Amino acid sequence: MSIPTVIIGGFLGSGKTTLLNSIFRQLDPEKSVALIINEFGDISIDGELVENGSYSKMEITGGCICCSLKDKLIEGIRGILVNEKPDLIYIEATGLAVPREMKREIEKYIPEDIVTVENILITVDSEQFNKCHGNLLIYDRQFEGSPKILLTKSDIYQEDLISSVRTSIGTIYDDIHHIDESCNPSGRFIDCVPEYFRLPGGAGEDTAQFTIDKEQFSDIDKIAGLCIQYSSKIIRMKAILTRGGIATVIQFDGKNLFQSEKGSEYKGESSKIIGFCPVTEKEKLQKIFDQ
Amino acid sequence: MKEMTGLERCQAVLDHKRPDRVPVVPQTFMFAAETAGFRIGDMNKNGKMMADSHIISQDKYGYDGCVIDIDDASLAEACGAKVIYSNPDEPALVDEHNPLVTDLRQFKEMKLPDPLKDGRLPAWLEGTERLISAIGDRVFVLGRSDQGPFSLLCLLRGTQNLMMELITEEPEVIWTALDWCRQAILLFARAQKDAGAHATSIGDSYAGPNLISPQMYRDFAWEHEVTLSRQVQDYGIPFSLHICGNTNDIIEDMVETGAKILEVDWQVDMKKASEIVAGRSVLMGNVDPSDPLVSGTPEAVELKAKGVIEATGGRDLFLSSGCAMGRHTPEANMRALIGAAEKYGTFK
């Protein structure tokens, strides 16, 4: 039986790693999964996930960006087929790769009855899309070949922004038919993994939301520090912290922390922290941030 | 016509004279390492091993020119970038997740690298010196100066970070950063000349159409390549510009840099490129290093090489791979590449 394979692409900071972490949390522990990373260095896959089922990680690195990486991709897949015989293969593409070309290379050199590229999923950060699309060739090339699109950080960004990007993508690319968001319209983070993207064998949802509402937070730096301290337990978090009429917004996307001061659009609001985490961590994080 | 040495052949082409046959200058640093039985991770700090790998490989196959290269990380490392040496069978990489430069304005305070002291550049230069000493009287030695200005900046800043900043940052800040990179490369290029290299080359592939549009290439990368080309060639050594990927839309711009040699990849239409270049530069290329050179048959290699020679009329050409040849390139395929030059590129 052919091994289902998914290529996950997206520019830097668009949420590929967060998506992968979410996928790995939900995988059936009985399934063996091979992850090929087309990028070096710390991938930030949660170490605990290694225990949650059988998963191996291979990095393909080095060589010229345009040519020898494709040889290494094919070599990597062949190696996995010989050594591991996984049930599933995920390939995380660097933001500089063109996922459609990766799919093409795989289909050219590996028989379809052995490996089938079932999906290309591109994570899209809406703010980044507005800056880069039409201005950066390599960014635009992510959308080639009818990929499925996941608009990430939809819990953080305004609904108008998400909508406008959804409309833009649908208008520019008439061959893209699947555009999903990382949160449902009510804002509740249900899953990073769109329905059509879940492969057979996925386990159920295990993500929860923690929320803290207060008039004011006295120590804003402490909140940022806690976010960093517990970053491995937090999938996403947004905090609007008001103090003395000034609102500080802290956003954590699973990997990076951003902090900024906001103006009049947050005037008068009380402070709020909304975070998403594994179910098992909810109670603990609720207490920690509600100190 | 008297049989020429490889060096004579290449010099004839560079001087717009007719050689006895088309010279073959494959991009073999990984292939040479494999041929010599070395791991690239063992030789990337060892100038003697670098030279020996080329000596052994050139002696075995008899091609006309050697391209001294070791990885894309050496110059960036000499500038202070963190480099990853995780796999001894693979070239070292710059750690772009932890880039040296977190703000392009930092370049104002940064010290330029010294190629005689910093990082692994002294080893590269030792490699050039040894190779020249051993075979430089008869084999063309192209001692690379690693990355071009745009590519070096990508490595120092992190490519995806820089891509975003091309859109958001002030143009003068980007220009200053690129200018610093150009200066760093110039120092290394001059050192290659001083080490005896017959030519030097930079790889500016991050500026190619795989990543940025032709207009962005012209807006950001081109000017610095022009300046570098002029400065290097004024120092007395031919300058080669390597941009891999599909550069059909920027061939004219590449010629306009004044580079003596243009290294082009397999996607380039050599007939059109030859017409555009019209003898102003030497074209070096362009058999696909992946297919057929690694995965194809010798017959397929010969056919592709024949096509390159015919498309250019065998003039102003160094027959080569489109980019770095893989270490697993079969021996028969390498011989087919060289054989094609003899069979189809000999001038009576």
Side-chain angles (χ1 to χ4, degrees), chain A residues 12 40 64 66 71-72 109 137, chain B residues 90 94 97 160 209 244 290:
Chain A
L12 181 70
F40 50 82
C64 183
C66 67
D71 291 337
K72 291 174 197 297
Y109 291 106
L137 179 67
Chain B
E90 297 293 338
V94 171
H97 282 287
Q160 292 181 78
C244 44
S290 177

Side-chain angles (χ1 to χ4, degrees), chain A residues 44-55:
Chain A
S44 295
I45 292 291
D46 193 332
E48 289 179 12
L49 295 178
V50 177
E51 297 163 14
N52 184 29
S54 169
Y55 118 83

Side-chain angles (χ1 to χ4, degrees), chain B residues 229-277:
Chain B
S229 172
R230 176 176 48 77
Q231 290 175 321
V232 169
Q233 292 182 137
D234 282 352
Y235 196 68
I237 184 171
F239 177 77
S240 177
L241 175 59
H242 174 107
I243 301 180
C244 44
N246 184 343
T247 52
N248 284 301
D249 290 340
I250 59 169
I251 290 288
E252 177 64 41
D253 304 278
M254 289 171 70
V255 175
E256 292 287 330
T257 63
K260 190 72 182 166
I261 306 167
L262 304 181
E263 299 171 36
V264 294
D265 211 342
W266 65 271
Q267 300 96 322
V268 168
D269 180 328
M270 284 299 257
K271 186 168 191 306
K272 273 198 189 146
S274 187
E275 287 163 5
I276 291 169
V277 171

Side-chain angles (χ1 to χ4, degrees), chain A residues 28-261:
Chain A
D28 181 344
E30 299 302 309
K31 295 286 181 188
S32 78
V33 178
L35 171 64
I36 299 177
I37 304 165
N38 179 202
E39 195 159 50
F40 50 82
D42 181 13
I43 188 62
S44 295
I45 292 291
D46 193 332
E48 289 179 12
L49 295 178
V50 177
E51 297 163 14
N52 184 29
S54 169
Y55 118 83
S56 67
K57 187 174 88 174
M58 167 192 284
E59 293 175 8
I60 51 170
T61 61
C64 183
I65 52 166
C66 67
C67 39
S68 54
L69 268 178
K70 73 180 178 197
D71 291 337
K72 291 174 197 297
L73 173 64
I74 302 304
E75 206 177 292
I77 294 174
R78 284 184 178 143
I80 282 170
L81 293 173
V82 166
N83 297 323
E84 297 178 34
K85 297 184 178 52
D87 298 308
L88 305 163
I89 300 176
Y90 286 91
I91 303 171
E92 192 200 20
T94 170
L96 303 178
V98 181
R100 179 179 75 155
E101 287 186 356
M102 294 171 76
K103 180 179 183 218
R104 197 182 279 161
E105 288 300 310
I106 294 169
E107 289 171 345
K108 187 176 175 186
Y109 291 106
I110 309 217
E112 207 179 351
D113 59 347
I114 297 177
V115 163
T116 303
V117 179
E118 291 203 344
N119 275 310
I120 296 175
L121 183 72
I122 306 298
T123 53
V124 175
D125 176 315
S126 295
E127 281 192 353
Q128 199 177 68
F129 178 89
N130 281 342
K131 280 185 194 157
C132 297
H133 192 273
N135 293 313
L136 268 185
L137 179 67
I138 191 58
Y139 187 89
D140 294 0
R141 295 207 67 197
Q142 307 274 310
F143 296 88
E144 290 176 6
S146 314
K148 297 185 169 86
I149 305 296
L150 181 67
L151 299 174
T152 57
K153 309 175 192 177
S154 54
D155 53 321
I156 288 178
Y157 292 142
Q158 299 286 324
E159 204 175 313
D160 288 350
L161 171 64
I162 302 279
S163 273
S164 72
V165 169
R166 178 193 278 272
T167 304
S168 294
I169 294 173
T171 305
I172 298 165
Y173 300 99
D174 57 13
D175 61 339
I176 290 179
H177 304 298
H178 291 282
I179 305 175
D180 209 326
E181 295 170 25
S182 57
C183 282
N184 71 11
S186 72
R188 181 172 174 271
F189 181 84
I190 50 169
D191 207 310
C192 271
V193 183
E195 190 65 45
Y196 51 75
F197 184 64
R198 290 179 205 175
L199 296 180
E205 294 177 6
D206 66 351
T207 311
Q209 176 180 313
F210 61 93
T211 309
I212 298 104
D213 281 292
K214 272 188 176 178
E215 278 301 314
Q216 292 198 62
F217 277 87
S218 59
D219 191 342
I220 289 168
D221 289 337
K222 185 178 175 185
I223 300 298
L226 286 172
C227 190
I228 292 168
Q229 184 180 347
Y230 293 96
S231 58
S232 62
K233 312 290 179 198
I234 302 171
I235 298 170
R236 303 290 305 283
M237 194 183 94
K238 181 176 183 179
I240 302 168
L241 309 171
T242 55
R243 187 175 163 200
I246 295 173
T248 301
V249 178
I250 295 173
Q251 295 182 13
F252 176 68
D253 64 2
K255 193 173 179 183
N256 299 303
L257 187 79
F258 306 94
Q259 186 169 330
S260 58
E261 285 188 355

Side-chain angles (χ1 to χ4, degrees), chain B residues 21-150:
Chain B
R21 66 158 172 79
V22 171
V24 182
V25 185
Q27 299 171 60
T28 55
F29 71 96
M30 289 188 281
F31 176 79
E34 188 76 14
T35 301
F38 299 160
R39 295 191 305 179
I40 201 148
D42 294 332
M43 53 180 251
N44 61 18
K45 296 175 186 171
N46 187 318
K48 183 177 185 301
M49 286 179 80
M50 284 186 215
D52 286 345
S53 69
H54 287 290
I55 292 166
I56 291 168
S57 180
Q58 194 281 328
D59 182 60
K60 180 172 180 178
Y61 292 101
Y63 44 81
D64 301 297
C66 298
V67 178
I68 298 181
D69 196 345
I70 197 68
D71 52 51
D72 292 346
S74 300
L75 185 53
E77 186 181 30
C79 295
K82 186 180 163 200
V83 169
I84 298 170
Y85 296 91
S86 58
N87 185 344
D89 289 316
E90 297 293 338
L93 295 172
V94 171
D95 183 357
E96 291 190 51
H97 282 287
N98 298 290
L100 172 72
V101 173
T102 52
D103 185 330
L104 291 177
R105 288 158 184 79
Q106 276 172 244
F107 279 99
K108 284 186 188 166
E109 312 300 326
M110 279 170 59
K111 185 172 153 290
L112 289 166
D114 181 348
L116 300 181
K117 287 185 192 160
D118 291 329
R120 294 175 289 130
L121 301 186
W124 271 55
L125 295 171
E126 182 190 349
T128 300
E129 283 169 357
R130 285 180 177 272
L131 193 59
I132 288 286
S133 176
I135 60 175
D137 59 334
R138 58 191 184 279
V139 175
F140 181 75
V141 173
L142 195 156
R144 279 220 167 110
S145 307
D146 204 350
Q147 301 298 290
F150 188 91

